[in-house]
């Protein structure tokens, strides 16, 4: 057997290991990341047979190295602020109405911890005196959990898309670095956890669970497994908040609350779980022979055109699934109908840059900058994440300046 064939078998087995550990669908597993780890081991003088043998052992160092390479860790403080506003306006009052003396939150798939601390800061900001706050962050990647426990972050964790809704950090002696406030850190803990497995019972149940931009990488079977574990970890009356494009219907046992794009779901209280009554068949009226005028033709339902935000979300879903060409096509059609839609224009420019079409990307970025410059800086532009016009102006300026330097 040739070495090349053996290497391909190792790569295939490595992808199987990643999929079984994470629940990721095959298209969400970066081939270059897997290839990089395997080739690094081969460069150290290890044989394909040795690697195959190690990949048969659960929890082996090679398997952990593969997980470290493929797991996604994109997050920042108060990402998707509308969900934190929902937490403050709906979830906290609901917990207090239930007589809670402890409010508990869980950030499932917390990566480097910014979301976990954001939940803690929000609950602390809303909890009345005498009510205790506890927040758990879990992730499969132990290295990211260690980073989260340190609670020190740079500019990448603090973005204009995530406004500082509640006090969560303070400046450090190092310029550009911030440290999570002591009282926020005190109510927060981190633990390793896999969404394909039930959360340890010792962690208890939660009033609110955030699991955002995680399930989008999962296979359909893994999504259902994870949703089942998440739903069972909610107290009756508790809320689950998911990422924008992760599910298109309520998870089993939960009901949708709020607008569909909010992706908020609630576990009903026991008294709300009324068994469905069997349908009662009404007796048919006696038939009478008579001429009956035909019923009027039904009025056709109005056709509702999709909004630019909905089309943009479809494009984002394609990007998450690895279909960059399909995403670009969706965005191009979007911009044909909504010519001044800045979020889609920015997204398409970045896609074209990644595809190597620099001239097309620069042309779009010039348009983004020109349109944004004509708008009031604080005007909110609706998109998957509502952002002010100055964000688009600054993004385009940075892109064009960096390109000119290169």
């Amino acid at each position: 057997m040739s070495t090349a064939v053996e290497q391909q078998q190792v790569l295939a087995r490595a992808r199987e290991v990643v999929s079984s550990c994470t629940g990721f669908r095959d298209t969400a597993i970066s081939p270059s990341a897997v290839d990089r780890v395997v080739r690094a081991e081969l460069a150290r003088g290890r044989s394909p047979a040795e690697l195959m043998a190690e990949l048969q052992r659960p929890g082996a160092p090679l398997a952990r190295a593969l997980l470290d390479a493929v797991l996604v860790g994109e997050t920042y403080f108060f990402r998707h602020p509308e969900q934190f506003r929902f937490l403050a306006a709906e979830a906290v009052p609901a917990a207090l109405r239930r007589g809670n003396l402890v409010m508990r939150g869980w950030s499932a798939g917390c990566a480097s911890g910014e979301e976990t601390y954001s939940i803690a800061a929000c609950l602390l900001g809303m909890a009345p005196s005498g009510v205790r706050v506890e927040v758990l962050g879990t992730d499969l990647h132990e290295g990211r959990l260690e980073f989260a426990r340190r609670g020190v972050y740079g500019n990448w964790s603090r973005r204009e898309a995530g406004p500082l809704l509640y006090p969560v950090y303070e400046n450090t002696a190092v310029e550009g670095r911030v440290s999570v406030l002591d009282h926020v850190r005190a109510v927060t803990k981190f633990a390793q956890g896999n969404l394909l497995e039930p959360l340890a019972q010792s962690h208890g149940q939660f009033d609110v669970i955030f699991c955002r931009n995680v399930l989008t990488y999962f296979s359909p079977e893994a999504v259902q497994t994870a949703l089942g574990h998440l739903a069972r970890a909610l107290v009756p009356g508790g809320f689950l908040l998911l990422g924008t494009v992760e599910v298109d219907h309520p998870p089993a046992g939960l009901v949708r609350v709020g607008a569909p794009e909010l992706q908020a779901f609630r576990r009903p209280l026991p008294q709300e779980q009324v068994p469905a009554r069997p349908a009662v068949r009404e007796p048919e009226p006696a038939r009478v022979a008579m001429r009956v005028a035909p019923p009027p033709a039904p009025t056709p339902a109005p056709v509702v055109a999709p909004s630019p935000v909905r089309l943009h979300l479809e494009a984002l879903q394609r990007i998450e699934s690895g279909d960059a060409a399909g995403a670009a096509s969706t965005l191009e059609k979007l911009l044909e109908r909504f010519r001044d839609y800045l979020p889609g224009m920015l997204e398409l420019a970045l896609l074209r840059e990644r595809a190597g079409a620099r001239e097309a990307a620069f042309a779009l970025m010039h348009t983004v900058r020109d349109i944004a410059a004509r708008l009031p800086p604080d005007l909110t532009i609706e998109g998957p994440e509502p952002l002010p016009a100055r964000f688009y102006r600054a993004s385009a300026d940075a892109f064009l300046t960096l390109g000119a330097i290169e």
Side-chain angles (χ1 to χ4, degrees):
M1 183 183 299
S2 71
T3 302
V5 172
E6 290 178 327
Q7 290 181 9
Q8 288 304 312
Q9 290 179 337
V10 173
L11 289 169
R13 174 57 186 162
R15 293 174 69 85
E16 289 175 0
V17 168
V18 170
S19 179
S20 65
C21 291
T22 64
F24 283 12
R25 64 182 185 282
D26 191 63
T27 54
I29 300 171
S30 167
S32 60
V34 173
D35 184 80
R36 186 167 58 251
V37 172
V38 170
R39 294 193 185 280
E41 292 297 310
L42 294 171
R44 291 172 50 202
R46 304 185 68 188
S47 70
E50 287 178 306
L51 300 185
M52 284 293 282
E54 185 174 351
L55 287 171
Q56 306 306 318
R57 301 197 304 271
L62 180 55
R64 291 199 297 272
L66 287 165
L67 294 182
D68 289 349
V70 304
L71 290 175
V72 179
E74 165 68 0
T75 186
Y76 50 91
F77 289 110
F78 295 108
R79 185 180 187 184
H80 300 305
E82 67 280 2
Q83 292 186 320
F84 287 96
R85 294 188 180 103
F86 174 86
L87 170 60
E90 300 292 337
V92 170
L96 296 176
R97 285 195 297 271
R98 295 194 299 271
N100 284 31
L101 294 180
V102 181
M103 287 195 295
R104 308 190 70 243
W106 175 22
S107 171
C110 68
S112 46
E114 292 93 327
E115 178 180 272
T116 315
Y117 289 123
S118 298
I119 296 170
C122 182
L123 292 179
L124 286 169
M126 296 299 299
S129 176
V131 174
R132 194 167 77 253
V133 169
E134 298 175 357
V135 179
L136 172 69
T138 64
D139 200 87
L140 194 56
H141 193 303
E142 181 58 42
R144 292 204 179 102
L145 291 173
E146 283 301 316
F147 185 94
R149 292 184 184 104
R150 290 196 294 270
V152 178
Y153 299 94
N155 291 329
W156 189 245
S157 301
R158 298 174 288 129
R159 307 186 204 172
E160 198 160 10
L164 189 61
L165 299 178
Y166 297 90
V168 65
Y169 53 72
E170 60 187 353
N171 293 329
T172 69
V174 180
E175 186 174 355
R177 307 290 286 176
V178 297
S179 178
V180 173
L181 294 167
D182 287 344
H183 73 283
V184 176
R185 192 193 301 264
V187 302
T188 308
K189 67 177 180 179
F190 295 92
Q192 195 165 27
N194 190 334
L195 291 175
L196 299 183
E197 302 169 358
L199 188 67
Q201 290 187 356
S202 59
H203 292 304
Q205 290 182 299
F206 301 88
D207 299 290
V208 62
I209 299 173
F210 279 57
C211 182
R212 307 182 303 167
N213 309 300
V214 178
L215 303 182
T216 189
Y217 301 99
F218 281 23
S219 68
E221 298 78 14
V223 167
Q224 295 310 310
T225 297
L227 287 174
H229 296 324
L230 292 166
R232 285 187 287 275
L234 283 173
V235 299
F239 294 86
L240 171 64
L241 291 151
L242 300 176
T244 309
V245 295
E246 291 182 309
V247 298
D248 56 8
H249 60 276
L254 306 184
V255 295
R256 186 185 294 278
V257 290
E261 59 270 20
L262 188 63
Q263 290 289 63
F265 306 92
R266 185 171 66 90
R267 180 177 174 181
L269 295 165
Q271 61 267 30
E272 296 174 306
Q273 297 174 333
V274 180
R277 295 181 180 178
V280 178
R281 188 183 180 91
E282 296 290 340
E284 293 186 5
R287 297 178 180 272
V288 179
M290 58 183 294
R291 296 179 64 85
V292 180
T299 303
V303 177
V304 180
S307 71
V309 176
R310 178 60 60 188
L311 291 172
H312 192 168
L313 291 174
E314 289 179 17
L316 290 176
Q317 197 164 23
R318 289 180 179 273
I319 292 171
E320 296 285 5
S321 67
D323 182 13
S329 176
T330 300
L331 289 168
E332 287 166 358
K333 292 175 182 176
L334 185 163
L335 292 173
E336 287 176 5
R337 299 177 59 182
F338 305 96
R339 295 183 180 276
D340 292 338
Y341 178 64
L342 285 174
M345 209 175 295
L346 181 68
E347 199 82 60
L348 183 57
L350 296 174
L351 273 178
R352 287 178 171 171
E353 166 69 10
R354 288 195 288 270
R358 290 178 62 83
E359 289 187 11
F362 271 71
L364 264 177
M365 279 298 189
H366 277 290
T367 305
V368 170
R369 184 174 65 179
D370 292 345
I371 294 174
R374 295 196 297 267
L375 299 173
D378 292 325
L379 176 68
T380 299
I381 307 297
E382 290 301 321
E385 295 185 35
L387 295 165
R390 65 173 179 274
F391 168 83
Y392 293 95
R393 172 68 184 272
S395 298
D397 283 341
F399 182 94
L400 295 169
T401 301
L402 182 61
I405 294 172
E406 293 177 350

